[in-house]
């Protein structure tokens, strides 16, 4: 987004820095200030989410840095996040209903759904297989010394207990699938942004929105006012997002500062092999898999694609939330990639919850890493089970910070890896969450581009251009 100021007759025209550069600046400044402050304070490492400064022995360590991280940086960052979360439900609801209503032709809608599903399964499968290949090859869990494991376990055991308690409330698969059809859509909307809802709330909201959109096609004359109302909701949500995004550089910087100031770099040292394996997997998936798919199916140069979506990538990295990034992704898809509105609405809103390649890769690596640490031998059959469950868990993960943690424990326990092991990686989860969300959101935009291209190829040029330009219902 290239925002420029009005030129005044006296002053020479001054261009404001593009939003993605501002966000990048915020990230770099926040991150380096946090690391520097942590080094200066040389304080004990704390589990993420512990805001009242309990150290590992249970003593209160109210030092100044903690105060600044918890009472200044974190709240400022959360103002930005909350402004965006505030409009996610109305935005997802209106975008998906309008998407389904705008597509009109049921066969086309079914085709879009199948293509989205096909790409999601393909990319998630490649992501998990890549993760498993790397973790088997590098073997980071075999390299962790027993005393390092004990220290990590002692540090994060309390936070690990919370993740396990959440996972224990997880419903059986049958219930998860049934709950996609909401009995009470309003109730689902209320709980859908909660990580412990395991994403079902959001899937149920999407199901309701799509049903509404499909139904509109059968009685279009009776629904003109309803469609206008949905258009209005969608438009005002985008305006509010526009205001919130002006805070993005500061908000993102503060969020990163709060994480790095509390954790510092010391927390990374014992887990370098694990982090390296994950980051290598993310890098290969981003640069090789996405680039090939966007070039082959999206008919676009990967270089140009990544440049166009940089706003969305940086927002994903800063917020650790696919849901919070959805409005930016929608804008980028329509304004920068020039994708038809109803196709991007449809694919991106579904993708924000349903397509999480980074999360799927992360699941695979974590489960095998912890199996290595606990000397649990996973045969081929169990590794295949990990692949399938990681793909499903990726679909069911809420697009919020830390949304995948309850799901990971479910996958671990299903193949006999102790759930308590999650405590070992909690210290670095937030940093990896930023990276996997970046991959998740990029994957959504890759799929939206590929699906849009294939739709345009099917249509005569005139109608393709008409759709690109508006897509009004
Ligand atoms: N934070 C991720 C997202 O929003 C979900 C996760 O992997 O925890 O996409």
């Amino acid at each position: 987004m290239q925002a420029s100021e009005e030129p005044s007759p006296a002053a020479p025209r001054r261009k404001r820095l593009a939003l993605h550069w501002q966000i990048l600046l915020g990230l770099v400044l926040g991150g380096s200030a946090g690391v520097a402050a942590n080094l200066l304070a040389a304080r004990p490492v704390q589990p993420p989410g512990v805001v009242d400064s309990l150290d590992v022995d249970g003593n209160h360590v109210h030092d100044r840095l903690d105060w600044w991280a918890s009472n200044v940086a974190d709240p400022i960052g959360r103002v930005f996040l909350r402004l965006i979360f505030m409009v996610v439900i109305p935005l997802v609801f209106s975008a998906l209903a309008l998407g389904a209503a705008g597509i009109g032709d049921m066969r086309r809608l079914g085709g879009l759904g199948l293509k989205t599903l096909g790409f999601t399964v393909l990319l998630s499968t490649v992501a998990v297989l890549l993760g498993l290949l790397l973790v088997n090859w590098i073997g980071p869990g075999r390299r962790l010394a027993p005393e390092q494991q004990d220290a990590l376990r002692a540090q994060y055991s309390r936070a690990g207990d919370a993740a396990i308690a959440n996972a224990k409330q997880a419903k059986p698969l049958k219930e998860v699938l049934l709950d996609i059809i909401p009995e009470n859509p309003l109730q689902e909307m209320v709980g859908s942004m909660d990580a412990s809802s395991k994403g079902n709330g959001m899937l149920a909201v999407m199901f309701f929105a799509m049903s509404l959109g499909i139904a509109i096609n059968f009685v279009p004359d009776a629904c003109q006012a309803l469609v206008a109302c949905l258009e209005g909701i969608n438009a005002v949500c985008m305006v509010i997002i526009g205001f919130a995004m002006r805070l993005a550089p500061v908000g993102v910087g503060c969020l990163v500062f709060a994480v790095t100031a509390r954790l510092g770099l010391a927390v990374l040292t014992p887990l370098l092999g694990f982090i390296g394996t994950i980051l290598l997997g993310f890098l290969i998936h981003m640069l090789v898999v996405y680039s090939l798919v966007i070039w082959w199916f999206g008919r676009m140069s990967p270089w140009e694609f990544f440049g166009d979506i940089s706003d969305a990538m940086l927002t994903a990295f800063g917020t650790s939330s696919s849901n919070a990034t959805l409005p930016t992704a929608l804008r980028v898809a329509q304004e920068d990639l020039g994708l038809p509105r109803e196709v991007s609405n449809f694919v991106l809103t579904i993708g924000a919850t349903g397509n999480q390649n980074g999360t799927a890769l992360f699941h695979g690596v974590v489960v095998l890493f912890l199996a290595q640490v606990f000397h649990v031998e996973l045969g081929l059959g169990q590794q295949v089970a990990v692949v399938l469950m990681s793909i499903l868990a990726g679909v069911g993960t809420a697009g919020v910070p830390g949304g995948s943690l309850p799901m990971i424990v479910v996958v671990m326990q299903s193949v006999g890896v102790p759930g308590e092991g999650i405590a070992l990686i909690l210290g670095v989860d937030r940093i990896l969450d930023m990276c996997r969300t970046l991959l998740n959101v990029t994957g959504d935009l890759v799929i939206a581009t590929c699906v849009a291209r294939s739709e345009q190829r099917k249509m005569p040029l005139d109608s393709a251009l008409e759709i690109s330009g508006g897509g009004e219902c």
Side-chain angles (χ1 to χ4, degrees):
M1 189 166 71
Q2 199 79 33
S4 50
E5 287 168 359
E6 283 295 308
S8 87
R13 189 187 160 92
R14 214 163 41 96
K15 264 200 165 179
R16 205 190 284 171
L17 209 55
L19 184 65
H20 56 268
W21 291 119
Q22 293 182 32
I23 299 176
L24 189 64
L25 203 67
L27 273 172
V28 173
L29 287 179
S32 35
V35 171
N38 182 279
L39 286 177
L40 286 176
R43 56 192 304 285
V45 173
Q46 295 200 4
V50 178
V51 286
D52 67 348
S53 308
L54 277 177
D55 72 4
V56 287
D57 302 321
N59 299 320
H60 286 269
V61 190
H62 283 289
D63 60 16
R64 268 200 219 158
L65 181 56
D66 233 1
W67 192 92
W68 277 93
S70 308
N71 297 309
V72 181
D74 206 43
I76 295 178
R78 288 208 310 212
V79 165
F80 160 66
L81 273 188
R82 276 170 170 259
L83 278 175
I84 294 185
F85 280 142
M86 180 174 83
V87 290
V88 164
I89 294 295
L91 185 76
V92 165
F93 183 73
S94 57
L96 206 50
L98 287 171
I103 289 162
D105 175 359
M106 282 306 107
R107 269 190 319 196
R108 187 163 170 238
L109 187 64
L112 272 187
L114 280 181
K115 278 182 215 165
T116 307
L117 182 71
F119 275 114
T120 300
V121 172
L122 173 80
L123 288 177
S124 300
T125 310
V126 173
V128 187
L129 289 177
L130 180 63
L132 293 195
L133 199 77
L134 290 173
V135 76
N136 275 311
W137 175 51
I138 299 173
R142 293 190 289 268
R143 292 161 195 255
L144 206 62
E147 54 281 9
Q148 287 179 317
Q149 294 177 21
D150 291 344
L152 284 168
R153 221 172 283 145
Q155 247 166 32
Y156 298 111
S157 58
R158 273 176 303 152
D161 290 347
I164 292 163
N166 255 338
K168 286 207 172 121
Q169 294 162 7
K171 297 174 250 174
L173 187 66
K174 182 187 76 185
E175 295 295 318
V176 172
L177 294 177
L178 269 178
D179 283 351
I180 292 177
I181 306 172
E183 278 179 351
N184 180 349
L186 291 182
Q187 196 177 16
E188 298 300 340
M189 287 184 191
V190 173
S192 58
M193 299 293 286
D194 182 358
S196 59
S197 77
K198 287 118 202 138
N200 257 341
M202 191 56 103
L203 289 178
V205 172
M206 289 177 172
F207 187 89
F208 178 58
M210 270 182 54
S211 311
L212 192 86
I214 291 171
I216 286 174
N217 289 304
F218 289 91
V219 275
D221 294 339
C223 290
Q224 281 167 3
L226 177 60
V227 170
C229 173
L230 289 169
E231 291 274 7
I233 292 176
N234 195 268
V236 290
C237 287
M238 293 307 266
V239 172
I240 294 174
I241 294 298
F243 293 148
M245 284 309 289
R246 293 193 190 175
L247 293 180
V250 176
V252 161
C254 286
L255 287 172
V256 176
F257 175 86
V259 174
T260 49
R262 286 200 191 110
L263 299 179
L265 292 179
V267 72
L268 305 181
T269 327
L271 290 170
L272 276 183
F274 165 71
I275 297 167
T277 308
I278 298 227
L279 293 186
L280 184 63
F282 285 171
L283 209 68
I284 297 177
H285 200 70
M286 176 78 81
L287 297 183
V288 180
V289 180
Y290 283 165
S291 294
L292 281 175
V293 171
I294 205 70
W295 173 72
W296 183 258
F297 294 102
R299 298 272 174 257
M300 196 173 172
S301 125
W303 186 249
E304 193 188 332
F305 173 78
F306 290 127
D308 283 349
I309 67 162
S310 52
D311 275 4
M313 289 171 87
L314 289 167
T315 308
F317 187 76
T319 59
S320 303
S321 168
S322 298
N323 285 351
T325 314
L326 179 62
T328 315
L330 286 172
R331 184 184 54 69
V332 158
Q334 284 153 34
E335 289 175 13
D336 300 329
L337 291 172
L339 304 185
R341 182 177 156 208
E342 80 274 23
V343 175
S344 54
N345 273 357
F346 182 83
V347 180
L348 290 175
T349 39
I350 289 183
T353 294
N355 175 58
Q356 304 209 335
N357 310 148
T359 299
L361 191 154
F362 178 73
H363 278 183
V365 175
V366 169
V367 175
L368 257 82
F369 167 73
L370 292 173
Q372 290 170 356
V373 170
F374 290 101
H375 306 292
V376 178
E377 277 303 321
L378 295 184
L380 193 64
Q382 279 166 308
Q383 297 212 16
V384 171
V386 172
V387 172
L388 294 177
M389 293 199 62
S390 298
I391 296 171
L392 280 179
V395 173
T397 292
V400 296
S404 59
L405 291 179
M407 288 297 198
I408 283 192
V409 178
V410 175
V411 181
M412 283 166 66
Q413 287 177 332
S414 71
V415 289
V417 178
E420 295 71 27
I422 192 81
L424 264 65
I425 56 131
L426 283 181
V428 290
D429 183 64
R430 183 60 195 243
I431 292 165
L432 294 176
D433 197 1
M434 296 162 86
C435 303
R436 61 183 187 256
T437 308
L438 168 68
L439 211 70
N440 291 344
V441 170
T442 308
D444 298 340
L445 284 158
V446 168
I447 297 182
T449 309
C450 296
V451 172
R453 287 290 174 273
S454 79
E455 288 294 301
Q456 282 176 340
R457 266 201 299 277
K458 270 192 350 204
M459 271 185 272
L461 188 61
D462 285 355
S463 45
L465 288 177
E466 197 180 303
I467 284 175
S468 298
E472 296 298 306
C473 296

